[in-house]
Each structure stands twice: as C-alpha cells, then as structure tokens.
C-alpha cells in the first residue's frame, strides 16, 4: 500500500516509488475540545436519530475521511452543561475520567458551522438514551477528529459489509466514490424500519439483511454475505465493520482463503457485545475467548469505537496506519 502522511511520522516508512498510486493518506489534526449546541434533531429511521450541532468552535473543524470520528461528552442532567476534557499543547491532560462515546462524522458544513452525527437509539447506554431525548438547545462537548485514515478512491471495485453502527460511515463513503465504480454493499439492521436511502454516483448494489428479533451482534449475516460473494477481478477493497467477534473470522478468510493482500481489506470491530466503549485495537491482539465478552447482549452504545485510548499527558494517537489484515 502506498500512503502519505501529514504531521505524522511513522517509523520505518519509506518514500513512495515514483509513479506509485497513493492508496491511503494519513493525516493528523490539532486536538481541540469544542462546546457545541444542538440546533436540530431528526428521526431518520425507526431506530436512528440525526443530531445537528452548531457553534463558532467549528470554524477550524477538520474532517476528510468517511470514518473520521469525534468523542461526544454529554451532560449528566437534561439541559445541563457537559464537563469538558482539558487539552494543553495538543495533549489531552485532564478529564480522562469523563464518560465519552465515539461517533462518526456524518456531515460537516463549514460555512453554516454545522456538524451532523447519526446515533442509534437504544436504552442500554448513555449516548443511546441521550439520543432519544436530545432537544434543540442542549449543549454537547466534542473532541476530535484526532486524525484521518483516508482510503483514496483508486480501486477497481469495493465491497462494504456493515451493521447499523457503521452505516453513517458507509453512507458518507458511498457519497464520495467516483461515478460508475462497482460497489457491493451489505447492511445488517433489525428490519425495514431501519432502511435508509444511500446516495452515490457509483454503481451500487445494496442488500439489506434483516435480523428481525435476533439480538444485535449474534448473527452471521454479514459474515455469510461476504463469504457468499464472488469478488470481481482487479484491484479491489473490502471493508467490514460491525460487532467485533461476529466479523473477526473474516480477517483470516479474506487473507488466507480469498488471498487478498493486507492492503486490500479492513475488518473493523466497531463495537463488542457486552462491552462499553470497545477499543477496536484489542481485536488485533485478543482471541475471542480472551476478550471478556459477557453473555448479556448489549446494543452498541457508539457509532464508531476507534480504540483511541490515551494516557493523560501524552498525545492522543492517530488512527491505525492501515487496514489490519490479521
């Protein structure tokens, strides 16, 4: 994979060969906490709400990649002011004890100073409950994005397989793709009430997979869909995102059975059943039986857990430097 970086030094990086196609661009952004105000709340599906945030703090906000994410700091009481993290010299030095959840940036309008976040509605976590009662005028703290992992639109084809937690990122990604590039999309949701329009200039084939009354994170719908897909010829990219334990076997499948290079796929655990604020980097090192998942199913409380665990006084990390193939 050929990549470039901005404000980022990666040990062992070598200059790209002349004429090489740039597949991935890594960027870091200044870390700044922002206090924003809810300006609109819209129910866009049976179990998803779009919250629009606004404020002059967005004047220097940066987002460039579909999976860019921010940490939301929510008030502990309705109508209250959230406690904000402390950042000094681009370092998160205070407020690590605060409860936050990571969410994908759905839309950003710099001129209008608005930031849209799509949240899954449920009663099993602080953010899901807040989404159901959010009102215009509420205050929300936002931190990030710390960095961007941008997969450039240079591939011959794409396959996306996601559940509802990754649907905002998938929708944003589809909107960015060039005209007529073939894209096969599988989306697991509860039922028809969760179906959303997906706009794209690409040639998109979407299949909605309904789990009905089955608990989120317990089906093999996404894994079965990927395994049952005949991948086209050429240089392609497969992106899978959802409950970490249910999709993790696809890493080995895509690498060992299909024979894709590690630069041609990303299997990303956005959440883990029974775990709050899941760190997706754990998926690269833990066996399923070591993961500490509990029997009780918990609907995901976040739209994009990114594993951006930070130690107070140290710089916050940038996204993983590339798709993880094993």
């Amino acid at each position: 994979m050929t990549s470039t970086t901005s404000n980022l030094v990666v040990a062992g990086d070598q200059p790209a060969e002349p004429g090489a196609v740039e597949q991935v661009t890594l960027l870091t952004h200044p870390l700044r906490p922002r206090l924003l105000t809810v300006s609109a709340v819209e129910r866009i599906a049976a179990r998803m709400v779009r919250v629009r945030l606004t404020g002059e703090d967005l004047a220097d906000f940066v987002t460039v990649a579909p999976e860019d994410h921010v940490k939301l700091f929510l008030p502990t009481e309705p109508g209250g002011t959230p406690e904000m993290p402390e950042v000094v010299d681009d370092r998160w030095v205070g407020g690590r004890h605060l409860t936050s959840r990571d969410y994908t940036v759905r839309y950003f309008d710099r001129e209008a100073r608005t930031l849209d976040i799509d949240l899954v509605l449920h009663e099993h976590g602080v953010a899901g409950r807040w989404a159901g009662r959010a009102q215009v005028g509420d205050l929300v703290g936002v931190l990030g994005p710390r960095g961007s992992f941008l997969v450039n639109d240079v591939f011959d084809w794409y396959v996306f397989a996601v559940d509802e937690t990754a649907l905002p990122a998938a929708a944003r990604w589809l909107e960015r793709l060039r005209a007529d590039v073939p894209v096969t999309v599988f989306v697991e949701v509860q039922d028809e009430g969760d179906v959303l329009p997906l706009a794209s200039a690409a040639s998109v084939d979407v299949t909605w997979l309904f789990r009905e009354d089955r608990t989120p994170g317990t089906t093999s719908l996404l894994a079965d869909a990927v395994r049952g897909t005949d991948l086209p010829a050429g240089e392609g990219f497969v992106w899978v995102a959802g409950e970490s334990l249910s999709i993790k076997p696809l890493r080995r499948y895509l690498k060992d059975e299909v024979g894709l290079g590690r630069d041609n796929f990303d299997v990303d655990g956005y959440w883990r059943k029974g775990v709050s604020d899941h760190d997706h980097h754990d998926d690269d090192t833990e066996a399923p039986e070591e993961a500490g998942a509990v029997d009780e199913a918990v609907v995901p409380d976040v739209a994009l857990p990114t594993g951006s665990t930070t130690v107070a006084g140290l710089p916050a990390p940038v996204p993983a430097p590339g798709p993880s193939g094993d």
Side-chain angles (χ1 to χ4, degrees):
M1 175 177 290
T2 303
S3 64
T4 61
T5 61
S6 175
N7 299 326
L8 175 65
V9 176
V10 180
D13 271 4
Q14 299 296 325
E17 297 179 2
V21 176
E22 182 179 293
Q23 293 177 312
V24 170
T25 303
L26 301 176
L27 300 166
T28 56
H29 314 303
L31 193 63
R32 178 188 170 191
R34 296 172 169 88
L35 184 61
L36 305 177
T37 303
V38 174
S39 63
V41 179
E42 178 186 5
R43 179 72 69 92
I44 61 174
R47 284 162 283 272
M48 186 170 286
V49 164
R50 176 165 298 158
V51 175
R52 175 161 292 176
L53 305 174
T54 188
E56 284 304 313
D57 279 356
L58 290 171
D60 58 354
F61 186 84
V62 178
T63 177
V64 298
E67 289 191 275
D68 282 353
H69 59 277
V70 295
K71 287 187 176 294
L72 298 187
F73 296 84
L74 304 171
T76 56
E77 299 293 337
T81 299
E83 188 176 354
M84 299 290 287
E86 181 183 2
V87 175
V88 177
D89 295 332
D90 209 35
R91 296 167 180 259
W92 186 354
V93 299
R96 289 293 302 161
H97 65 286
L98 301 176
T99 299
S100 65
R101 293 294 184 267
D102 292 3
Y103 276 87
T104 305
V105 173
R106 183 60 184 91
Y107 295 111
F108 173 58
D109 186 329
R110 185 178 308 282
E111 184 176 349
R113 303 285 197 269
T114 59
L115 173 67
D116 289 1
I117 305 290
D118 292 351
L119 302 94
V120 177
L121 290 168
H122 56 85
E123 291 298 319
H124 298 284
V126 294
R129 291 192 296 269
W130 177 83
R133 65 170 188 261
Q135 297 182 1
V136 172
D138 285 353
L139 297 177
V140 178
V142 171
L143 184 66
R146 180 47 163 163
S148 298
F149 174 66
L150 176 63
V151 178
N152 295 304
D153 187 11
V154 297
F155 293 94
D156 299 324
W157 51 265
Y158 298 86
V159 172
F160 297 163
V162 303
D163 68 8
E164 56 265 72
T165 64
L167 185 53
R172 187 179 178 193
W173 201 334
L174 288 171
E175 291 168 353
R176 299 170 60 99
L177 291 176
R178 66 189 186 274
D180 300 326
V181 62
V183 188
T184 299
V185 181
F186 300 102
V187 187
E188 178 189 330
V189 294
Q190 183 168 327
D191 54 39
E192 292 183 358
D194 298 314
V195 173
L196 293 172
L198 298 175
S200 181
S203 178
V204 181
D205 180 12
V206 182
T207 300
W208 294 87
L209 307 171
F210 301 138
R211 62 176 173 267
E212 301 297 343
D213 58 353
R214 287 172 288 182
T215 302
T218 64
T219 81
S220 62
L221 291 173
L222 293 179
D224 292 345
V226 172
R227 290 176 179 271
T229 300
D230 293 327
L231 301 181
E235 187 84 357
F237 192 87
V238 178
W239 175 53
V240 185
E243 199 282 325
S244 63
L245 297 183
S246 67
I247 64 175
K248 185 175 181 178
L250 287 176
R251 295 183 179 184
R252 189 171 299 278
Y253 167 75
L254 292 170
K255 176 186 176 183
D256 296 341
E257 298 186 41
V258 178
L260 292 183
R262 64 173 291 112
D263 301 337
N264 295 93
F265 69 96
D266 183 15
V267 177
D268 197 357
Y270 268 34
W271 63 286
R272 178 170 292 181
K273 184 166 65 72
V275 178
S276 297
D277 212 13
H278 168 58
D279 182 340
H280 80 163
H281 291 117
D282 291 344
D283 297 338
D284 296 331
T285 57
E286 291 182 336
E289 62 271 20
E290 298 169 343
V294 298
D295 291 335
E296 180 185 2
V298 177
V299 179
D301 188 35
V302 294
L304 180 55
T306 61
S308 50
T309 304
T310 321
V311 178
L314 296 179
V318 298
S324 176
D326 54 14

